[in-house]
Amino acid sequence: MKARGAVLSRRNAHSAMVSDWKMLKAGDTVEVVKYAHVIAAGRVEEVSSSGNVVWLEHSGPGVTEEGKELFMKSDGVVLRRA
């Protein structure tokens, strides 16, 4: 028998943290998490070749061209699949 929590549900597996940002592709939907709070959400526009920087196109109503933002691993953020 597996220990409690050892098996991820489909929802939890899909929303798992992304440890290697290089595995993300343009168009993937993610949430940006810092200090256990979602600070942004949207689609990946571009990932740096080093995998330490990601451009995110924010989703939601009323988002304009300025709805794009850069996030860096060194800022202490993590990405979670949405």
Side-chain angles (χ1 to χ4, degrees):
M1 179 181 247
K2 295 187 178 191
R4 183 180 299 169
V7 178
L8 293 175
S9 70
R10 262 188 210 180
R11 182 172 185 250
N12 288 339
H14 182 69
S15 64
M17 296 293 176
V18 179
S19 57
D20 184 3
W21 290 10
K22 289 188 283 186
M23 301 305 292
L24 292 170
K25 298 180 182 103
D28 286 349
T29 305
V30 296
E31 295 175 326
V32 182
V33 180
K34 188 169 187 175
Y35 303 124
H37 295 333
V38 176
I39 60 170
R43 287 191 308 261
V44 173
E45 184 176 288
E46 188 177 346
V47 179
S48 68
S49 59
S50 67
N52 292 320
V53 179
V54 65
W55 277 100
L56 186 71
E57 183 178 338
H58 294 286
S59 60
V63 174
T64 63
E65 186 66 27
E66 294 83 32
K68 298 175 184 175
E69 193 171 353
L70 176 125
F71 294 96
M72 300 186 303
K73 276 189 178 182
S74 61
D75 290 338
V77 299
V78 293
L79 299 181
R80 179 172 67 192
R81 293 193 186 274

